[in-house]
Amino acid sequence: MGKITGFLEYERKVSAETAPGDRIKNWNEFHIPLSEAEQKKQGARCMDCGVPFCQAGVMMGGMVSGCPLNNLIPEWNDLVYTGNWQQAFNRLKKTNSFPEFTSRVCPAPCEAACTCGLNGDPVAVKENERAIIENAYKSGIAGPNPPSVRTGKKVAVIGSGPAGLAAADQLNKRGHLVTVFERSDRPGGLLMYGIPNMKLEKWVIHRKIEVMKEEGVTFVTNADVGRTYKANRILKEFDRVILACGASNPRDIDVPGRDGAGICFAVDFLKATTKSFLDTGLEDGNYISARDKHVVVIGGGDTGNDCVGAAIRHGCASVTQLEMMPEPPRKRAGNNTWPEWPRILKVDYGQEEAAWVFGKDPRVYQTTVKEFLKDPEGKVCGVITVSLEPKQDPETGRAYMAPVEGSERELPADLVLIAAGFTGAQSYVAEAFGVELDGRTNVAAAKDSYKTSADRIFTAGDMHRGQSLVVWAIREGREVAREVDKSLMGYSNLA
Ligand SMILES: Cc1cc2nc3c(=O)[nH]c(=O)nc-3n(C[C@H](O)[C@H](O)[C@H](O)COP(=O)(O)OP(=O)(O)OC[C@H]3O[C@@H](n4cnc5c(N)ncnc54)[C@H](O)[C@@H]3O)c2cc1C
Ligand code: SF4
C-alpha cells in the first residue's frame, strides 16, 4: 500500500484552479497541477483496501460505483507514492486506453466510492492518474508502440469518439489494420466538439491521435458514412465494421415559439465555438456568439454547465440555467449511502464563474419553458417559464414533475441553448448498414457481444448504450474490440 499511515498524516490536496475572474478571459484549462512531491503524498493516502470499491465499477442504486474501467487504482496509487512512474504507467495502461482524457473530464466515480471518503476526504485518484500519464509523455514512454506482427484483417470503425478510438487502439495493437471514419473535420467525437476547450484542451486529443497514426491507425475525416461515404464500399473493403457514432439526436423542447431565431442545441453552440477557436482563435466569426446577450440554458446538467462557462467567455449579458428537478441536498440523503454515487448538489466550474460574474448561481430549479417569445423579426426575445412540482401518477405510481398553475414568469432571452439530453442514435447510419435499433433508438446488440443484427457489424459507446460518459465509451470500445478480435481470430487475449 502507499504509506501505512499516509491517510492519517496527509490531507487530501488537489490542483489549484485559476480564479474565475482570470480564467474566463480565455479558453484554456485552468487547473494548476500539484508538485511531484505533493502528488506522491496524495498517492501515500491510499490504504490499499482489501475490498477496493474505487475500482469496482458496479451499478448501485441505478448509478455506477467505482471505476467502470476497473482501473488498478490501489496499485498505481502506491507506485505514485514510491515515484515508480514507469510501472505506474504500465499498470494504468492495462485497463485505460486514454488516461489523458479521463484524468481531465471524468466525474471520478472512483473517488466517490473511495473508502477514505466514508469519514473524510477520498484519495485524489483522478489527479494521481493525470500525473502518471503526463509524466509518461514527458519521459517519452507514452510514445508510439506499433505492433510487431500484422494479421492482415481489416476493421472499419465509424466514429472517432472515445468508444471508436478505444476500439481502434486495441485492435491495432492486436495487429489488425484499422481505419477510423469520422464525419467531422477533426477526430475525437464529443471530446473534440462537445467538451469545451477549458475542460479539455484539444492538443491533448491531437497528441494521442498522432501517436495512434504512427502506430498504424488510419483516420479518414470528413467522411459522413451512410451519406457521402457509402456503407457498401466499407462492407466490401473491410472484414468487420464497428459503429461508434454516438447518441447525437438532441432532445428538443416542443413548445410554442420553438422556430424563433436564436434557439439552438447546446452541442451546435459548443461545437461552433470550438471549431472557430481552433481554426482562427474565434477571428472568423463562424460561431454562435453570446456576447451581450441574455442567455437561457435549458438543462441543469453537465452540458448545460459547459454552455454557461462558454457563454460567460463569449461575454454574455446574463445567463440563467433552468433545471426541471428539485435542488439536490448538500449532504447524502439517508437512502443514498456510500459507496453509491452521491446525489448531492455539485457546483461546477461554469456555475462558479456565473456566481463570480453575476453574483449568483445561474440555476433555477423545478422550472421549465412553457413558451418562447419572438420579436417582429422572428428572433427569440424572451421565454415564459413555469414552475414544476413533484407528483405521482395514481394509476402507474410513476413520479413526474407537473406544472404549477399561475407560476409563469417571463425572462429576457436573446439566445436559448437547449441542453436537455439526447434521444439516441441518428438512424441514417443504422439504416445504411441495415442494423436494428432497440426501443430507445440505440443500435441493438446481443448482450455482452456488441454484435448487431447484421453480419460482421458491431456497435459500442453512446450509439449502443445511449448518452453516457467518456469512461463508459472507453470501456465499451475496449470490450467491442475483444469481441471483434474473437470473431476474426477465434479467440482473443485483449483485456
Ligand atoms: C457538451 C458535452 C459535454 C460532455 N462532458 C463530459 C464530461 O465532462 N465527462 C464525461 O465523461 N462525459 C462527458 N460527456 C459525454 C461524453 O462526451 C460521451 O458519453 C462520449 O463522448 C461518447 O463517446 P462515443 O465515442 O460513444 O461517441 P461520440 O463522442 O459522440 O463520438 C461519435 C463520433 O461519431 C461521428 N459520427 C457520427 N455519425 C457518423 C457517420 N455517419 N460517419 C462518420 N462519423 C460519424 C461523430 O461525428 C462523432 O465524432 C459530454 C457530452 C456532451 C454533449
Ligand atoms: S478505496 Fe480509496 S483508499 Fe481504498 S484502495 Fe481505493 S483509492 Fe485506495
Side-chain angles (χ1 to χ4, degrees), residues 281-294:
L282 296 173
E283 290 294 314
D284 60 13
N286 288 336
Y287 59 93
I288 304 156
S289 176
R291 173 164 288 279
D292 299 330
K293 290 183 181 162
H294 294 289

Side-chain angles (χ1 to χ4, degrees), residues 92 104 124 270 290 339 391 434 443 481 487 489:
L92 175 56
R104 286 173 166 83
L270 294 168
K391 288 238 165 110
V443 173
S487 82
M489 310 301 283

Side-chain angles (χ1 to χ4, degrees), residues 17 36-37 56 68 138 159 161 164 215 294-295 298 325 369 461 475 483:
E17 291 180 353
E36 186 170 328
K138 248 187 248 149
E215 288 175 335
H294 294 289
V295 179
I298 305 174
M325 301 307 288
V369 170
R475 173 173 164 155
E483 295 305 314

Side-chain angles (χ1 to χ4, degrees), residues 46-49 52-54 73-74 77 113-116 123 125:
C46 177
M47 300 183 291
D48 192 15
C49 301
F53 284 96
C54 57
I73 293 167
N77 278 339
C114 171
T115 317
C116 276
V123 172
V125 177

